[in-house]
Amino acid sequence: MTAQAAQADQLASSHGHLVIIGGGEDKERDMAILKRFVELCGGPSAKIVVVTAASAVCARMWETYDRAFRDLGVTRHVHLHLMTRHDANDEDLIRDVLDADGIFMTGGDQKRLLAIIGGTALDAEMHAALKLRGACIGGTSAGASAMSGHMLAQGRAELHPEKGSVSLGAGLGFLHKVVIDQHFSERQRLSRLLSVVAQNPYLQGIGIDEDTALVVERGVGIEVVGEGAVTIVDGRAMSTNVAEIADHATPELIDVRLHLLPAGSRYGLPGADDRDARRIPPPLLEFLENITKRNPIS
Amino acid sequence: MTAQAAQADQLASSHGHLVIIGGGEDKERDMAILKRFVELCGGPSAKIVVVTAASAVCARMWETYDRAFRDLGVTRHVHLHLMTRHDANDEDLIRDVLDADGIFMTGGDQKRLLAIIGGTALDAEMHAALKLRGACIGGTSAGASAMSGHMLAQGRAELHPEKGSVSLGAGLGFLHKVVIDQHFSERQRLSRLLSVVAQNPYLQGIGIDEDTALVVERGVGIEVVGEGAVTIVDGRAMSTNVAEIADHATPELIDVRLHLLPAGSRYGLPGADDRDARRIPPPLLEFLENITKRNPIS
């Protein structure tokens, strides 16, 4: 099998991956996470589009990832430089996305990213790439937060969870019923994630450390790659007085479920074709089913 | 009723209290926690013994608490100045404990405290004071950690839980099946407490913030006083790979139960005579039964 045939074979069998990175991924040494992203795109010959719209310093962002992807042997990576929603709806400008094997969203500000690309032709093409062509969508820091339908838009990291200290916005919706936070252990954001879950028990919180990625293969399973851990905070069985207390007060939270998945963890859906994934611990089953769900294009 | 009769009445009806303080309690302004400690000792006419043995700067510690208790109107507080185990076994020296209404252990180093008083006549008299006379035992910082049977002796606060990063020692044993950490939110010690629980699922972790106290009334209930919160980490239903991983690796932790009890929280045992305590949320019942248990003198 030629390299191109192998790549075509891999893509045809791919269910689509999300590589959700907690920021600060290594871009110079072993680059374990970016290397994994490239693999999941189909290898060095894959076409990768880098979306820098989250950042106010797009050119510098592109330079960084241009060098990193080159160092990983990638030859067909391109910069999608968008300044406005008009750009994100410009079919000429976004043409590279139509046959991209991977799309990578850099850090910056997730509110800026969504303001520019949310609901545009680019947004629709990214969903089509993932869901119809099995492409790989990567995002780091702001690009990670932006992936869920409910997006952590803004919030202070207080010592304690606080009512009203966090605000959500509408994200890209590659995942649902979750909210994603990044730089998680490094910036001590558990309180902030608990603040979200206290007021939004419908959402499970996902906290991703720096240089760490949650890799989701739709319909198959998940994996944690890199140096840190992924923390999951599940408040669905919780009881709380958050509805009764004043703004900025600390809520009582009883029976929040917490899971810590260190790098190296792999979990497969029951019956999924991934023989080396471990069986799924029962408390994670529903979480796994949810985030690997093959949501249709809406 | 005279003030003395009222005090005798209160003491006779007291089941004994523990005031477990996360360090950094206010000693100059409203002193909510120390005021509560004095109340639970029976009021300003109570006899209070201050044990400074945890600290290498005993005289300075005593000055601080001497002033604070004086400012609260206390007149019968005394310094129990101990440098050695010999001191802690000296019946003359510890005579003040025999009729103390309250005993307060300052901060410092809990290993030092236990090395000096663990298993001595003073230790036995403190248990007798609590259990036979319904006295109040207070402790802050190191004095808080020292209260449980398994004591968090030493451990780094890492970004993530780490196998082998925390060591336990034998504490005073006023509480069992728990481990107590202090300066909890301020020093970001959740990972450290999770490290303990991961390797010792028999113990429930109690993290107490600065200027915050967990007040335990034996046989009755608990209350959180002060400015912060008490975090409880329960790993009894958890699954983990901690037995299989190498030292210093981060364990997988699935289904740790987390409870956050902000200041103002009160919980009473079912049927306990404390009408204004709220009912106990079911996930806290076993915890509450355990820490309010009237353990006999051993």
Side-chain angles (χ1 to χ4, degrees):
Chain A
M1 197 151 58
T2 65
Q4 268 186 335
Q7 187 195 333
D9 186 59
Q10 145 124 23
L11 267 183
S13 69
S14 172
H15 301 98
H17 288 85
L18 300 172
V19 178
I20 314 172
I21 310 168
E25 72 280 3
D26 172 23
K27 302 173 196 74
E28 292 175 349
R29 295 183 310 278
D30 74 335
M31 298 193 270
I33 291 171
L34 292 178
K35 193 181 285 173
R36 194 66 209 279
F37 173 75
V38 171
E39 271 171 32
L40 293 173
C41 293
S45 60
K47 177 168 179 179
I48 293 172
V49 173
V50 178
V51 176
T52 57
S55 175
V57 289
C58 297
R60 205 186 310 157
M61 277 288 173
W62 163 244
E63 260 175 49
T64 301
Y65 285 96
D66 178 31
R67 185 183 319 112
F69 285 129
R70 252 192 290 126
D71 288 349
L72 288 168
V74 178
T75 51
R76 298 169 63 215
H77 54 295
V78 295
H79 182 200
L80 184 52
H81 184 227
L82 306 168
M83 297 300 285
T84 63
R85 294 183 65 75
H86 188 266
D87 293 345
N89 278 312
D90 182 329
E91 291 190 3
D92 269 356
L93 208 61
I94 69 171
R95 185 180 303 143
D96 280 319
V97 175
L98 301 187
D99 63 347
D101 303 306
I103 299 154
F104 188 91
M105 296 180 285
T106 69
D109 176 351
Q110 57 264 43
K111 295 188 300 299
R112 179 186 164 93
L113 179 62
L114 263 290
I116 296 177
I117 76 171
T120 63
L122 171 61
D123 179 343
E125 287 303 336
M126 286 171 70
H127 279 265
L130 175 74
K131 295 168 184 174
L132 302 182
R133 295 191 288 111
C136 180
I137 310 281
T140 186
S141 194
S145 287
M147 289 210 193
S148 54
H150 290 92
M151 177 178 81
L152 207 167
Q154 185 155 20
R156 300 180 303 277
E158 305 287 352
L159 276 186
H160 306 105
E162 253 192 28
K163 180 172 178 174
S165 64
V166 181
S167 59
L168 302 183
L172 292 168
F174 295 119
L175 296 163
H176 292 281
K177 300 190 188 174
V178 297
V179 68
I180 298 167
D181 207 351
Q182 7 82 4
H183 302 278
F184 189 69
S185 295
E186 293 76 9
R187 298 191 187 168
Q188 310 287 358
R189 287 178 164 172
L190 179 67
S191 286
R192 165 163 129 163
L193 199 55
L194 286 172
S195 294
V196 176
V197 167
Q199 292 194 260
N200 305 275
Y202 178 85
L203 306 178
Q204 292 184 62
I206 303 176
I208 306 178
D209 290 348
E210 293 181 0
D211 201 14
T212 305
L214 175 64
V215 176
V216 176
E217 183 171 10
R218 301 172 77 231
V220 177
I222 64 171
E223 184 183 355
V224 180
V225 180
E227 291 300 314
V230 170
T231 302
I232 298 163
V233 172
D234 180 349
R236 289 172 306 160
M238 157 190 83
S239 63
T240 176
N241 63 353
V242 74
E244 298 142 36
I245 62 175
D247 259 16
H248 305 300
T250 298
E252 173 188 270
L253 302 175
I254 305 289
D255 211 10
V256 174
R257 310 289 165 96
L258 185 146
H259 314 297
L260 185 79
L261 315 182
S265 303
R266 291 170 62 90
Y267 309 99
L269 283 174
D273 182 23
D274 185 1
R275 287 184 204 88
D276 62 345
R278 281 186 296 159
R279 283 203 54 184
I280 179 81
L284 276 191
L285 180 59
E286 214 177 322
F287 173 78
L288 194 72
E289 285 175 340
N290 173 42
I291 68 165
T292 59
K293 193 185 285 174
R294 304 176 76 166
N295 293 301
I297 290 187
S298 53
Chain B
M1 199 153 52
T2 65
Q4 270 185 333
Q7 187 195 332
D9 187 60
Q10 145 123 25
L11 267 184
S13 69
S14 171
H15 301 98
H17 288 84
L18 301 172
V19 178
I20 314 172
I21 310 168
E25 72 281 4
D26 172 23
K27 302 174 196 72
E28 292 176 349
R29 296 184 308 277
D30 72 336
M31 298 193 271
I33 291 171
L34 293 178
K35 194 180 286 174
R36 193 65 209 280
F37 172 75
V38 171
E39 271 170 31
L40 293 173
C41 292
S45 59
K47 177 167 178 179
I48 294 173
V49 173
V50 179
V51 176
T52 57
S55 174
V57 288
C58 298
R60 206 187 307 157
M61 277 288 174
W62 163 244
E63 261 175 48
T64 301
Y65 285 97
D66 178 31
R67 186 184 317 113
F69 285 129
R70 253 192 288 126
D71 289 350
L72 288 168
V74 178
T75 51
R76 299 169 63 214
H77 53 296
V78 295
H79 182 199
L80 184 53
H81 184 226
L82 307 168
M83 297 299 285
T84 63
R85 293 182 65 75
H86 188 266
D87 293 346
N89 278 312
D90 182 330
E91 291 190 4
D92 268 356
L93 208 61
I94 69 170
R95 186 180 303 144
D96 279 320
V97 175
L98 301 188
D99 63 347
D101 303 306
I103 299 154
F104 188 91
M105 295 179 285
T106 69
D109 177 351
Q110 57 264 42
K111 294 187 301 301
R112 179 185 162 93
L113 178 62
L114 263 290
I116 295 178
I117 76 171
T120 63
L122 171 62
D123 178 344
E125 288 302 338
M126 287 172 69
H127 279 266
L130 174 75
K131 295 169 183 175
L132 302 182
R133 295 191 288 112
C136 181
I137 310 282
T140 186
S141 195
S145 286
M147 289 211 194
S148 54
H150 290 91
M151 177 178 81
L152 208 167
Q154 184 155 19
R156 300 179 303 278
E158 304 286 352
L159 276 187
H160 306 104
E162 253 192 28
K163 180 172 178 173
S165 64
V166 181
S167 58
L168 301 184
L172 292 168
F174 295 118
L175 295 162
H176 292 283
K177 300 189 188 175
V178 296
V179 68
I180 298 168
D181 206 351
Q182 9 81 2
H183 303 277
F184 189 70
S185 294
E186 293 77 8
R187 297 191 189 169
Q188 310 287 359
R189 287 177 163 173
L190 178 67
S191 285
R192 167 162 126 163
L193 199 55
L194 285 171
S195 294
V196 176
V197 167
Q199 290 194 261
N200 305 275
Y202 178 85
L203 306 178
Q204 292 185 61
I206 302 177
I208 306 179
D209 290 348
E210 293 181 1
D211 201 14
T212 305
L214 175 63
V215 176
V216 176
E217 183 172 10
R218 300 173 77 232
V220 176
I222 64 170
E223 184 183 354
V224 180
V225 180
E227 291 300 313
V230 170
T231 302
I232 297 163
V233 172
D234 180 349
R236 289 172 305 161
M238 154 191 84
S239 63
T240 176
N241 64 352
V242 74
E244 298 143 37
I245 62 175
D247 258 16
H248 305 299
T250 297
E252 171 188 272
L253 302 175
I254 306 289
D255 212 11
V256 174
R257 310 289 164 96
L258 184 147
H259 315 297
L260 185 79
L261 315 181
S265 303
R266 291 170 62 89
Y267 309 99
L269 283 174
D273 183 22
D274 185 2
R275 286 183 205 87
D276 62 345
R278 282 186 296 157
R279 283 204 51 187
I280 179 83
L284 276 191
L285 180 59
E286 215 177 322
F287 172 77
L288 194 71
E289 285 176 340
N290 173 41
I291 69 165
T292 60
K293 193 184 286 174
R294 303 177 76 167
N295 292 303
I297 291 189
S298 54

